[in-house]
Amino acid sequence: MLALSLPAAVLAQTPLRVDINAGLMQPMPIAVPAFAPGNGGNTEAGTTTALGERAAQVIANDLKSSGLFRPIDPAAYTTAVGLDEVVKPDFPAWRTVAAQALVTGTVTANADGGITLACYAYDVFAGSEIARQGFVTTAAGWRRAAHKCADLVYARLTGESGYFDSRIVYVSETGPRTKRIKRLAIMDQDGAGHRFLTSGQNLVLTPRFAPEQQTITYMSFENNRPRVWLYTLGSGRQEAVGQFATMTFAPRFSPDGHNLVFSMSVGGNADIYRFNLATKQTTRLTTGAGIDTSPSYSPDGSQIVFESDRGGSQQIYVMNADGSNQHRISFGEGRSASPAWSPRGDYIAFTRIGAGRFGIGVMRPDGSSERLLTNGYQDESPTWSPNGRVILFARGDRGGRSGLWSVDISGLNERRLATPLDASDPAWSPLLP
């Protein structure tokens, strides 16, 4: 997808801003009217009029899902947005519906069959433009262009990068408790474009994206043999990682994509190993008695956080990437498991287990500032949004059902993501290129 600069304009000198760190209780009212048809053309995905309406809905839904914005009901609008109004909004009309920000734009059919989605954002009370960007894509790529527009608006109004143009891979589950069918599934972060990657013939667990996002690593029980696999998106190719005689599990890529870290069980003892994808060389990183598992790299690749019961119960430990300087960082009540390092590097998310319940918590990499964000019956398997502001996790209930939920870093805006079947083990991709 090509991003292009639109003609320059004077931006607000004192920008409208949402304080994302304040635990926002009152979302910003924002108007997102249907995007105007740039030339009234037809595309393989529909008319530019229809695409303009659908794009505005995607953008509004993205912004609403963050918990930071409240899209105003289009029924309250007192003005329509044509081509002229896109670049010269009727600010007094938008003030009458109490909109603080306005997002508008155009969808134009290109000669090659593609489209250009032009995105504009305005500070309504200041009467000034705060952002603009054009996105050139195929007609089928209109949703991604809308997500990129939402990311642009989010970034301009919060000062943080967006996370809407991203995907989620997870384990889709169906069947009775004693005979669950688990298969890999992938979807856009808003649930669109959902598809299954594996047939369910073999049990799968813990999928994780490679940094380049075209490869997924996961654990599979093919032929009743638990081991780490790679799945290539697009081709659907699946291949086992290494030829290990014992069980391998809980894989995750290094930030540069050159290595995998995973657990391997030998003689009833599970340790963490690094596997170089190019040389096929395996390096043992932990050697202590007990179960060391769930490794996760820091974003700079210099450290690894992991779970271990070496001290008598599940707790969180950190070590250097070469296995040196292993030390415990979790000291709260109960047990701590399934750590995931934030892409910002500032927090580690984890599962807190205690008193028969599971919750999602965060702590600093040194173990300080530990706090719980959720307190469900069975909340587990945290994964971070690309900007490190939202955590996605799996939530199970007493009836054995499970689904995907998200919560922001402040512990607010808890919401469920729709999936066709039960869901567990989510992993959030980086932003799409």
Side-chain angles (χ1 to χ4, degrees):
M1 182 176 296
L2 175 66
L4 53 86
S5 298
L6 299 172
V10 177
L11 302 183
Q13 296 300 309
T14 305
L16 187 64
R17 183 62 60 90
V18 174
D19 184 357
I20 197 170
N21 298 306
L24 190 71
M25 298 302 294
Q26 294 297 324
M28 176 187 289
I30 189 167
V32 190
F35 280 30
N39 54 7
N42 289 298
T43 76
E44 293 181 354
T47 66
T48 52
T49 298
L51 289 180
E53 295 170 352
R54 290 151 65 188
Q57 189 61 58
V58 168
I59 295 164
N61 288 342
D62 280 349
L63 296 173
K64 180 181 179 180
S65 72
S66 73
L68 301 174
F69 303 94
R70 178 178 62 81
I72 296 169
D73 186 346
Y77 296 167
T78 60
T79 183
V81 177
L83 282 174
D84 292 340
E85 288 81 8
V86 169
V87 293
K88 294 182 179 180
D90 183 354
F91 290 116
W94 293 110
R95 293 181 192 121
T96 63
V97 298
Q100 293 184 29
L102 168 67
V103 181
T104 186
T106 62
V107 178
T108 302
N110 300 332
D112 62 359
I115 63 167
T116 298
L117 185 147
C119 174
Y120 297 78
Y122 297 95
D123 179 337
V124 171
F125 288 100
S128 59
E129 180 184 309
I130 56 177
R132 62 165 63 187
Q133 186 74 62
F135 304 99
V136 180
T137 183
T138 63
W142 69 270
R143 289 189 67 92
R144 279 203 60 199
H147 289 318
K148 284 186 174 295
C149 175
D151 280 335
L152 174 71
V153 174
Y154 180 97
R156 187 69 176 117
L157 292 177
T158 68
E160 302 277 354
S161 60
Y163 60 90
F164 304 119
D165 187 28
S166 59
R167 294 183 293 182
I168 293 165
V169 64
Y170 71 98
V171 174
S172 178
E173 301 189 23
T174 187
R177 284 190 184 186
T178 56
K179 198 175 181 180
R180 294 292 269 179
I181 296 173
K182 297 189 177 186
R183 49 183 170 165
L184 294 182
I186 193 170
M187 62 185 181
D188 296 345
Q189 60 79 29
D190 62 350
H194 186 281
R195 61 190 175 100
F196 295 106
L197 301 178
T198 58
S199 65
Q201 181 178 357
N202 300 302
L203 186 72
V204 295
L205 296 170
T206 59
R208 300 289 183 263
F209 280 101
E212 41 80 16
Q213 302 185 54
Q214 293 306 305
T215 307
I216 294 167
T217 186
Y218 63 100
M219 176 187 176
S220 174
F221 283 76
E222 182 168 323
N223 298 322
N224 293 318
R225 183 182 176 188
R227 55 180 175 168
V228 172
W229 286 72
L230 297 176
Y231 183 103
T232 303
L233 293 171
S235 69
R237 180 187 177 193
Q238 300 173 64
E239 60 178 315
V241 174
Q243 298 297 323
F244 303 107
T246 59
M247 179 172 70
T248 55
F249 55 99
R252 198 182 293 262
F253 283 95
S254 61
D256 61 11
H258 295 162
N259 297 287
L260 284 175
V261 282
F262 52 77
S263 291
M264 182 159 57
S265 180
V266 179
N269 189 71
D271 284 300
I272 294 172
Y273 292 76
R274 181 178 66 241
F275 179 82
N276 186 284
L277 293 166
T279 66
K280 312 301 182 186
Q281 180 181 359
T282 303
T283 303
R284 186 175 180 176
L285 300 179
T286 66
T287 58
I291 298 174
D292 297 341
T293 188
S294 301
S296 173
Y297 274 96
S298 62
D300 65 2
S302 67
Q303 294 178 288
I304 296 172
V305 63
F306 63 100
E307 163 194 336
S308 177
D309 67 355
R310 63 181 63 182
S313 68
Q314 290 170 287
Q315 297 298 339
I316 306 301
Y317 292 74
V318 168
M319 62 181 170
N320 294 335
D322 62 2
S324 63
N325 191 28
Q326 297 177 26
H327 58 283
R328 178 176 165 179
I329 63 169
S330 64
F331 293 94
E333 295 182 2
R335 293 173 288 147
S336 301
S338 58
W341 214 308
S342 165
R344 295 165 58 95
D346 54 350
Y347 281 106
I348 292 169
F350 64 97
T351 301
R352 167 57 52 78
I353 307 166
R357 302 180 74 86
F358 293 62
I360 302 300
V362 293
M363 67 177 78
R364 296 293 186 182
D366 63 1
S368 64
S369 304
E370 182 178 321
R371 57 192 171 92
L372 284 179
L373 304 181
T374 76
N375 186 26
Y377 171 68
Q378 191 168 348
D379 295 351
E380 56 186 347
S381 304
T383 181
W384 291 91
S385 65
N387 67 351
R389 303 306 309 187
V390 180
I391 296 173
L392 182 67
F393 61 96
R395 168 168 287 174
D397 62 25
R398 295 181 186 275
R401 304 296 302 275
S402 61
L404 303 185
W405 290 71
S406 67
V407 64
D408 68 31
I409 196 67
S410 68
L412 301 175
N413 190 37
E414 199 173 282
R415 70 183 186 97
R416 182 166 189 170
L417 279 69
T419 54
L421 302 168
D422 285 1
S424 63
D425 278 341
W428 208 324
S429 80
L431 282 175
L432 295 170

